[in-house]
Every structure is written in structure tokens, then in C-alpha cells.
């Protein structure tokens, strides 16, 4: 034994001198829980994420009842209860041009534990910009008697549009257990247009019965792309006309209760050519009764991509495949232009306890624990990889959320395929999930570029020169400056999420950055934005600004 000591010492010395391994992606489980099931999430300040659940019996308390709203502090990983008046279950929302967060729609039902709750299906909830880094004193404003939607909407979608206002799309009137059996096949706006009347939608009528939470994106010409069920259109808000696009291929359906996800791929100057990516869901006939479906029906691995130009529409959807089938995935931008594919299950459907073989109450099974990255610029067939990606042990099924943060990592929370708060226990595979994680990219563990002070508001078309720092080990051969709407996460979709690359140059001494804002509010709808600088794939912390004037909508810029 003693004769081996020199060899052991040599090996030990060699190991201490070996170069440290490069940082990797990693999940980080937070010590504090969310206190509510974070089925909806939106970044509302550099340090705060606003979360909503249904009115239920979650453990977080406020005013002597369970909370269903909360502010998550990104700096301290702590939570603060937020008082909500109406039931925000299965709502949508976005930030509008003046920086206000608007949450719309929800559940009409109350909850026995809190008789004061009011119906949420025509609710409008307002969270105005709050300067408190911790959320202290920040409140939600509601006045159902005077501030409400024109139509009742549960499971609606919303998107910030070219004038900084909110377009509100679809939904159902009643407690639909699975398919949309009492639809609100219309659009409306906040603030209201058309004298407050709704606009009937033939597209939503055609896309029944699996058209809840339509996936919608504001295009750089001001029109709106919408996909529901397996159908898609481009809607012209100013002309109130629709252009019918090709169906999603191979019988794949992608909206609730057959949830895939979708994302508008990054827009780049000078042309800002729009492309949409739709991934996951199930290949199934939506005329099939729920009782004939099963939690074990395989989800599709299909991703479909279309370029929204005349030639691209004529070509139709281009099909590629994820590494596995996913139902209820979510697609989220990285500042470098890649797309994170995360969450969901390998089989089944959204909604609760309506199909055969439910797993407890879950209509879905086989959680997918390892995220993937989609690189839009790579050739077809090589864009999706999970090489170097970590694996979590927390299932994120129905009613999960994820969002990119201003810090540059992803906040992941929620999951509750149950009709109420269901705690872990024997036979409970998918409980109500209060644990919170971040998914941290490798650049979080190295020296990063930084952006100096930016003006609070930057007009469209303006060139800006700002101080920056670039770590000395970076060659700065690849510079990317992204302007991002971090979106509103709800039901496997990131409403209003947007990434616009800006023309940018770095000075020869690497101490200043000059970039040019997008030309108009059609390319990037006026309102809150986060600016990131990525140098050789190492991304800075984000800096939040208002793109445009910060005026209340509607504002044409």
C-alpha cells in the first residue's frame, strides 16, 4: 500500500492542475416554494415575476384566505402574496405600450373557501408599473362593475399589437371540461375598438372544437398570425379580413385540449421576414369523444415551420422532428436566437380527468424531463439537440409555466393536472407543484458582457451608443443585440413573446455599443422590452426599456 503513495500523489497533483471543465446548463431548485401553482407567469419588472393560479386552497395566504396571485422576487428567490378579486384560472395577458400588465378572462366559478371571489370570465386585471424591487406596495387593480371584457372568455389568448394595445382572441363561455362546446368565436381589444363591440371570427368557427388558447403573433406588417386546431390564418386588424393558410401537416392538432406550442422565430434586419414554428400536440381527429381518447396516446414529435411571405406560404409547412413526442411543451426564445423546448408529457392531452386511463386526474403521462434547443439557422434535420442539457426530476405537466428572465436564465414553476390543490402522497404521480426551478445557461457561470445605462424610453428608428464591457477572454467575433418581449406564459404558450435583432456594432476599443432600434411599432409593438447583448454566445444581463414613447394605447409609432 505504501509503495503506491507516490503514484497516488502524482495523480492527485495532476488532477488539481487539470483545466476546469467548461460550465454546463443546469437546473437549480430554489429553497422557497411559490405558495401558489404558477400556471401563468409574466415578468413585470427587472426583479419581479407576476404569477397567477385559480382561486383555490393554495398554501400562500393573504387577508385570511388562500392567495391565487403572487410576485416572485428573482433576486432573493422569495414570494409575496398578491390580492386578486376575480378568478384568474386559465386566463391570458400581456404588457401594453405604457408598461401596464393586463390580465384578461378566466373562470366564472368561485371557491368555497373564499366566498368574496368574483367571476373571472369577463375580468380585466391591471398591474401598473411598480418601482419596488421587492414588490412591497405593488397591487393589482380590478373593478368588475366598470372594467370588464365585452364577452365572457375562459381559455382566451391575447397579443400586443402594432398600436400597443391588446388583441383578445376566442375562448369559451362555460366550464368546458375538454372541447370548446360553448365558444366565443370573436376578437376584441383592450382598450376597446369598434365602440366596444366584438368582431365575429369565421376562423374560430371553423377551427372548433379544439381551438382554446389560439396561438397568435403580431407580424412585422401589423397583421396577426393565428393557429388553432390544425388551421391557420393571417388576420388584418385594419381591414378586418383573413387570409387562409395551409393546415398543419399530418393531422396534427396544436391547441387546447390537444396542446402543442408555437413561437414567432427571431426577426432580423433589414427585412424582418416572419417565420413561425409549431411543435408538439397529438395527431388525432377532434371529433373523437374524450371517452375514446387515452392518456397513453403518443404525442407527436412533429415541428412545423412556415415562412409568412407569398413564396413561403405557397411552399407550405416544412416538417422536422423533436427528439421525442411532447404534448403541452412550451417554446421560449433565448437572446442568441435559439429556442428552448421544455415541459410537457410524452402522451395524452390537456384538461383534467376526461379521457381513458387517467393518471390520477391527469389526461397526460410520461413527463419529458430533459429540455432541447432549437437552432433556427441550422439545416433542416439538425436543428434540435439536447446535447449538454440537464435533466430535472420535477414533472411539469398541465398548468405549468416558464419564462426567460432579465437575468438571462429561465424561471420554471407550476404543474397541476388536478381539480384542486392535491398534495404529494401515495398514488399521486402528478401533485400540485409548488417547487420552483431555474434553468441556467452556461454563461450564467462565467464573466459576462454588460450594458451600461440606457434611456427609460427609446424611440423607434433611433441609433443609440451606450457603454459596455466585454470580458477580455472573448474575441468578440460575433455580436448580437436582441430586443425582446419576454411574453406571458399560460397553457403551453408564450403570448406576445418576441425577439427582434437590431443592427449593432462595437467600437474598436470594445467599450461602446451602437445599435439601431426597429423602424416602427409594427416590427416591435410599442411597450416594454428587454435588451440583451450576446458576445460569442455569452449573453449579458438584460436591461429593460420602453420601446417607443410609453404613451397609453392606441399609439401609432
Amino acid at each position: 500500500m505504501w509503495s503506491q503513495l507516490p503514484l497516488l500523489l502524482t495523480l492527485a497533483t495532476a488532477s488539481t492542475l487539470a483545466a476546469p471543465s467548461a460550465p454546463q446548463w443546469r437546473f437549480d431548485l430554489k429553497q422557497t416554494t411559490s405558495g401558489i401553482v404558477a400556471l401563468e407567469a409574466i415578468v413585470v419588472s427587472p426583479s419581479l415575476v407576476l404569477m397567477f393560479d385559480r382561486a383555490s386552497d393554495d398554501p400562500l395566504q393573504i387577508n385570511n384566505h388562500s392567495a391565487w396571485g403572487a410576485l416572485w422576487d428573482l433576486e432573493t428567490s422569495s414570494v409575496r402574496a398578491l390580492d386578486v378579486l376575480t378568478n384568474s384560472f386559465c386566463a391570458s395577458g400581456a404588457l401594453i405600450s405604457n408598461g401596464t400588465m393586463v390580465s384578461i378572462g378566466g373562470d366564472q366559478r368561485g371557491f368555497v373557501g373564499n366566498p368574496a371571489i368574483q367571476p373571472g370570465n369577463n375580468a380585466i386585471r391591471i398591474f401598473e408599473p411598480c418601482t419596488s424591487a421587492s414588490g412591497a406596495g405593488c397591487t393589482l387593480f380590478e373593478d368588475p362593475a366598470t372594467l370588464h371584457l365585452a364577452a365572457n372568455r375562459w381559455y382566451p389568448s391575447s397579443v400586443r399589437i402594432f398600436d400597443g394595445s391588446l388583441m383578445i382572441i376566442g375562448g369559451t363561455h362555460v366550464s368546458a371540461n375538454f372541447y370548446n362546446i360553448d365558444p366565443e368565436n370573436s376578437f376584441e381589444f383592450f382598450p376597446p375598438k369598434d365602440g366596444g363591440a366584438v368582431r365575429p371570427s369565421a376562423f374560430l368557427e371553423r377551427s372548433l372544437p379544439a381551438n382554446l388558447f389560439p396561438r397568435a403573433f403580431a407580424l412585422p406588417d401589423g397583421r396577426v398570425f393565428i393557429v388553432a386546431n390544425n388551421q391557420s390564418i393571417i388576420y388584418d386588424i385594419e381591414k378586418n379580413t383573413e387570409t387562409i393558410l395551409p393546415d398543419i401537416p399530418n393531422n396534427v392538432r396544436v391547441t387546447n385540449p390537444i396542446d402543442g406550442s408555437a413561437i414567432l422565430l427571431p426577426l432580423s434586419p433589414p427585412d424582418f421576414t416572419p417565420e413561425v414554428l409549431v411543435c408538439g400536440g397529438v395527431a388525432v381527429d377532434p371529433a373523437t369523444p374524450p371517452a375514446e381518447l387515452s392518456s397513453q396516446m403518443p404525442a407527436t414529435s412533429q415541428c412545423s415551420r412556415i415562412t409568412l411571405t407569398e413564396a413561403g406560404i405557397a411552399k407550405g409547412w416544412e416538417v422536422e422532428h423533436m427528439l421525442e413526442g411532447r404534448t403541452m411543451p412550451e417554446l421560449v426564445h433565448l437572446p442568441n436566437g435559439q429556442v428552448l423546448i421544455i415541459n410537457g408529457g410524452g402522451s395524452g392531452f390537456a384538461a383534467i380527468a376526461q379521457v381513458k386511463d387517467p393518471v390520477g386526474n391527469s389526461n397526460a403521462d410520461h413527463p419529458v424531463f430533459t429540455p432541447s434547443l432549437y437552432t433556427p439557422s441550422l439545416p433542416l434535420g439538425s436543428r434540435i439537440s439536447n446535447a449538454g442539457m440537464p435533466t430535472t426530476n420535477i414533472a411539469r405537466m398541465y398548468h405549468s409555466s416558464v419564462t426567460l428572465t432579465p437575468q438571462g436564465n429561465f424561471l420554471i414553476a407550476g404543474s397541476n393536472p388536478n381539480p384542486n390543490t392535491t398534495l404529494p402522497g401515495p398514488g399521486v404521480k402528478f401533485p400540485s407543484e409548488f417547487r420552483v426551478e431555474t434553468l441556467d445557461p452556461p454563461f450564467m457561470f462565467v464573466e459576462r458582457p454588460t450594458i451600461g445605462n440606457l434611456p427609460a424610453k427609446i424611440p423607434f428608428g433611433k441609433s443609440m451608443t451606450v457603454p459596455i464591457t466585454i470580458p477580455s477572454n472573448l474575441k468578440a467575433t460575433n455580436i448580437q443585440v436582441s430586443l425582446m418581449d419576454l411574453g406571458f406564459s399560460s397553457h403551453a404558450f408564450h403570448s406576445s413573446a418576441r425577439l427582434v435583432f437590431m443592427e449593432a456594432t462595437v467600437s474598436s476599443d470594445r467599450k461602446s455599443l451602437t445599435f439601431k432600434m426597429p423602424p416602427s411599432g409594427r416590427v416591435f409593438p410599442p411597450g416594454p422590452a428587454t435588451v440583451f447583448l450576446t458576445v460569442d454566445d455569452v449573453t449579458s444581463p438584460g436591461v429593460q426599456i420602453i420601446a417607443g414613447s410609453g404613451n397609453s394605447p392606441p399609439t401609432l409609432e
Side-chain angles (χ1 to χ4, degrees), residues 493-543:
F493 179 54
H494 225 66
S495 299
S496 296
R498 195 176 199 83
L499 190 162
V500 176
F501 284 121
M502 298 187 286
E503 297 174 4
T505 57
V506 170
S507 62
S508 58
D509 64 4
R510 302 169 29 131
K511 292 183 179 180
S512 65
L513 169 73
T514 299
F515 65 87
K516 186 176 182 179
M517 288 287 287
S520 73
R522 294 179 184 264
V523 176
F524 191 98
T530 305
V531 179
F532 291 95
L533 167 64
T534 301
V535 179
D536 299 341
D537 228 24
V538 178
T539 297
S540 71
V543 178

Side-chain angles (χ1 to χ4, degrees), residues 26-48:
R26 67 183 74 168
F27 282 102
D28 181 18
L29 178 63
K30 303 306 177 184
Q31 297 302 306
T32 304
T33 62
S34 57
I36 67 170
V37 174
L39 64 91
E40 299 155 23
I42 181 171
V43 175
V44 291
S45 81
S47 59
L48 296 174

Side-chain angles (χ1 to χ4, degrees), residues 282-284 288 292-300 327 346-349 357:
V282 182
V284 67
T288 307
E292 297 178 17
L293 304 174
S294 168
S295 68
Q296 303 305 305
M297 289 186 69
T300 184
T327 182
S347 66
F349 300 88
D357 314 307

Side-chain angles (χ1 to χ4, degrees), residues 96-99 163-164 457 526-527 546-557:
I96 58 175
S97 58
N98 62 6
D163 64 2
K457 303 171 186 177
I546 292 286
S549 66
N551 292 338
S552 295
T555 177
L556 296 175
E557 302 180 24

